[in-house]
Structure formats: structure tokens, C-alpha cells
Amino acid sequence: MIDWPNGTAPGQREDESSAQERSECVLAYIPVVYYSTLLCVGVPVNILTLVALYRLSVRTQKALYVYLLALTGSDILSQLFIIFVGFLLETAVFHRDVPVLLLRSVSMMEFSANHASIWATVPLTVDRYVALCHPLLHRQISYPARARRIIAVVLTLALASGVPFFWWSDMWRVNRAPNNLDTALIWTHVTIIYFLPCCIFLVLNSLIILRLRKRQRQQKCQDESGQQLAVPGKLGKTTAMLLAVTSVFAVLWAPRTAVVLYHLYVSSVHNDWRVHLAYDLANMLAMLNTAVNFFLYCFVSKPFRAAVRDVLLFRWGPLHPRRPLHHQRTAANASTSSVSSSKRSQRELTPLSPKRADIKM
């Protein structure tokens, strides 16, 4: 048996010399019912979201839907690794009576999926900031191929960031005080999972809101002077969706971050039943974040609702619809005008005969 210095092997008896007893789970079977319901509802809903976003991505060729696809896929991975494998199988079914190497490997994959689920929102926020504050630059750099490359880099970094958490300690079962390694891992975790992305969301969303308010003031001044403003100052549906997603994340993950730091510096989850209860409730709230985006998209986006309705009703229309008739007429008029202008330029370059030159003169 390999001796892992930063954890307790499942099936071993707790140290008899320890005078402290393990705190009981006050919620009993409530977490099992909650996570089972969340898994049964969240995975099908996220798969439906994935199909609808894919159709919108192919149809519109916008980088926005590539980022939302990555976010939804990461949420599915989080639900499978954290809820299904980590909690329901390992904890509720096998009571963590599995090899330590498997426990730590699954823990590493849980953190990787969790980091990917959160950090997939960061490129989306940056894309919306560039679109509103630097629209000309956004037209040049925002396209699906570049978005896919950015997402590939983000997912690779998220996978690499989960490797150190192979040595993450089980807060429910470790009866000792957190050591230096635990402190480093906890602070790395809360920085990656909450503090750093929240700082990015706060700064970029604040800049977006300030820009929108500035446009509204400009529009108001233009309206008072009787002029029209070309750039609208209205909050767009995409920006509203972004603000909703980031705000829900900040609210749902705040309790877990606070409880983890409380466990580190004040009282242990293993020893205090109140901290144990708070940690269970905080985890339940945090995992709710993996299943709420579908309802936010439906509430904000009309094209998304239409795509979901088409998927549910099995209306598999063409992903590349034909252009409307007025677009075709516009293209035809443009081609006709270009042909006529080329003929006109050829006539101007052709030398006139003497008789016609006299008439011109």
C-alpha cells in the first residue's frame, strides 16, 4: 500500500489517540436526493442547450456561440465528474471505500472540469467588452476559428491547473489541522475558482456598463438637440445574458469560498457540525450553477428559445438557410451596377472617332 502523506486511506480506522470525534452530517439523505435530482435535470437540459447552441453557431457563424458551447460542455463535465462520480458513486454508494489513487485521480479531474466551467466564461466576457468598447477591432479579431483556438487554450490550461489538486485533502475526513500544503492548495483553489475570475468579471462588466451609460447620455444630449445618434445606448440581449451568467456565478460560489477559508483558519469541517452543514449547503449552491444557464438563456435570448423549440419539435431545418429575397435583390442590383460601371469606364477609356469628337465638342 502506498503511503500518501496528505490524506487518509479509505477503510482505515481513525487515529485512536485523537480526542476529537468526526462531525455528523445533519442533512442526512437530503444531499443524495438533491444531487440526484440536479443530475437528472441538469444533464438533459445541458445537452439540449448544447444542441441548440450548435445549431445557432453553424447558422450565424458568431464567436459568441462558440464560447457558450464551451461553457455548456464544461458544465456537463462538472456534473459528471463532481456530482455523479465524486459524490453519488464514491461517497454515497461506495462510502469512499475505493483505492486512494482512484480517489485522487477523480479529485484532479473534478477540479479540472470545475476550472474549465468557470474560465470558459472569461473569453466570453472579453469578447463582449471588445464588441461594445472597440467595435472596429471586434470585427477584425472575433470569428469562430479564433474563438475555437482560444477555447482550446483555456481548456488545456484548466486541465493542467487540476494536476496539483491530486494532493487535495478530504475536508470531511481529515481530522488534523491543515498543513502548509493544504493552505497552498486552498488558496490556489479559491484564487483560480473565484477571486481571479470575479475580478476580471467585475472590471470588464463595470467598463461595459460605464460605456453603455456614456452612450445613453450622448443619446439623450443628441435627442435634446434634435439630432440622431448612430450608436444605440440600449443594453443588448447578449450583454444582458453575460451580466446574468457572471452575476449568478458570483452569488452561488461566494458561500463555498467563504466556508473553505473558514475551515482553513477558524474551525475544521471534520470537527464542527455547523461548519460541516455550511460546507454541504455551500457545495449544493455551487453545483446549482452548472444547471441554471439554460433558463438564463431562455429568459434573455429569443433566437435561443426558437432554436430550443425547433429541437424539441424535431424541426430539423437547414443549418445554412437561404438568404432572404431582398438580400438576393440587393446582391443582384450590386452586380448589375458593377457591370454597368465597368462598361461606362470602358467607354470612357475608348478613344472617340473624329465625328463623335466634334459632336462632343
Side-chain angles (χ1 to χ4, degrees):
M1 179 68 68
I2 301 175
D3 184 18
W4 300 99
N6 192 34
T8 55
Q12 291 181 345
R13 294 181 180 179
E14 295 181 357
D15 190 6
E16 296 178 357
S17 61
S18 177
Q20 297 175 336
E21 296 182 356
R22 179 182 169 187
S23 61
E24 297 181 356
C25 181
V26 181
L27 297 178
Y29 289 99
I30 294 178
V32 178
V33 176
Y34 172 81
Y35 285 121
S36 300
T37 305
L38 186 63
L39 189 69
C40 293
V41 174
V43 172
V45 161
N46 280 329
I47 292 176
L48 176 61
T49 305
L50 205 66
V51 176
L53 289 175
Y54 174 75
R55 293 180 61 82
L56 288 174
S57 174
V58 175
R59 184 181 302 168
T60 62
Q61 292 297 313
K62 289 184 178 180
L64 165 69
Y65 295 111
V66 177
Y67 296 128
L68 294 179
L69 277 170
L71 175 60
T72 306
S74 302
D75 285 341
I76 294 176
L77 292 178
S78 297
Q79 290 173 338
L80 293 179
F81 280 109
I82 298 176
I83 299 177
F84 180 68
V85 178
F87 184 83
L88 293 179
L89 287 184
E90 287 185 350
T91 304
V93 177
F94 296 107
H95 302 285
R96 302 186 75 83
D97 191 11
V98 294
V100 180
L101 182 61
L102 179 60
L103 279 176
R104 295 184 176 275
S105 300
V106 172
S107 176
M108 181 181 66
M109 296 306 298
E110 289 175 359
F111 281 97
S112 298
N114 209 353
H115 295 170
S117 176
I118 292 173
W119 279 88
T121 317
V122 174
L124 173 63
T125 309
V126 175
D127 181 78
R128 286 298 89 199
Y129 165 75
V130 176
L132 288 173
C133 299
H134 307 281
L136 296 180
L137 179 63
H138 182 264
R139 294 177 184 177
Q140 298 175 0
I141 66 174
S142 181
Y143 49 90
R146 182 187 291 270
R148 284 190 287 268
R149 290 195 295 268
I150 293 174
I151 289 300
V153 173
V154 170
L155 295 181
T156 303
L157 293 177
L159 180 63
S161 67
V163 174
F165 296 94
F166 181 84
W167 293 273
W168 179 266
S169 296
D170 189 351
M171 293 184 181
W172 285 290
R173 287 169 173 78
V174 175
N175 55 6
R176 55 170 173 77
N179 55 23
N180 293 331
L181 180 58
D182 295 331
T183 303
L185 288 177
I186 287 175
W187 272 107
T188 303
H189 171 61
V190 297
T191 301
I192 293 176
I193 212 76
Y194 193 77
F195 290 130
L196 188 56
C198 277
C199 288
I200 297 175
F201 297 153
L202 179 62
V203 171
L204 294 182
N205 289 340
S206 299
L207 292 175
I208 289 173
I209 293 174
L210 289 176
R211 176 56 63 94
L212 291 175
R213 288 183 177 179
K214 182 179 178 180
R215 290 181 180 179
Q216 288 177 353
R217 289 194 297 267
Q218 292 176 353
Q219 185 178 14
K220 185 177 180 180
C221 294
Q222 295 289 340
D223 291 340
E224 291 177 354
S225 61
Q227 301 177 3
Q228 293 183 351
L229 188 64
V231 181
K234 190 178 180 180
L235 180 65
K237 295 296 183 66
T238 305
T239 306
M241 182 189 302
L242 169 66
L243 295 177
V245 170
T246 53
S247 300
V248 168
F249 159 74
V251 171
L252 293 181
W253 275 90
R256 187 181 187 278
T257 305
V259 173
V260 169
L261 294 178
Y262 189 89
H263 160 83
L264 179 61
Y265 290 108
V266 181
S267 180
S268 173
V269 173
H270 181 273
N271 300 326
D272 193 341
W273 68 269
R274 292 166 296 186
V275 183
H276 193 154
L277 174 62
Y279 190 58
D280 287 340
L281 294 176
N283 284 330
M284 293 165 66
L285 278 178
M287 287 298 100
L288 183 62
N289 187 59
T290 61
V292 299
N293 288 340
F294 169 81
F295 304 100
L296 295 177
Y297 301 160
C298 288
F299 180 74
V300 173
S301 176
K302 184 177 180 180
F304 180 79
R305 292 195 299 269
V308 170
R309 184 169 56 251
D310 291 341
V311 173
L312 293 177
L313 297 179
F314 298 99
R315 293 192 298 203
W316 305 105
L319 294 181
H320 300 279
R322 297 180 60 184
R323 289 183 300 177
L325 184 60
H326 67 276
H327 286 174
Q328 297 178 1
R329 289 178 179 176
T330 303
N333 294 336
S335 61
T336 304
S337 61
S338 62
V339 172
S340 61
S341 60
S342 62
K343 289 182 178 180
R344 189 182 303 110
S345 61
Q346 291 178 0
R347 286 199 301 269
E348 292 175 355
L349 293 176
T350 304
L352 296 173
S353 62
K355 184 180 297 184
R356 296 184 61 185
D358 292 341
I359 295 175
K360 286 283 183 181
M361 295 176 63

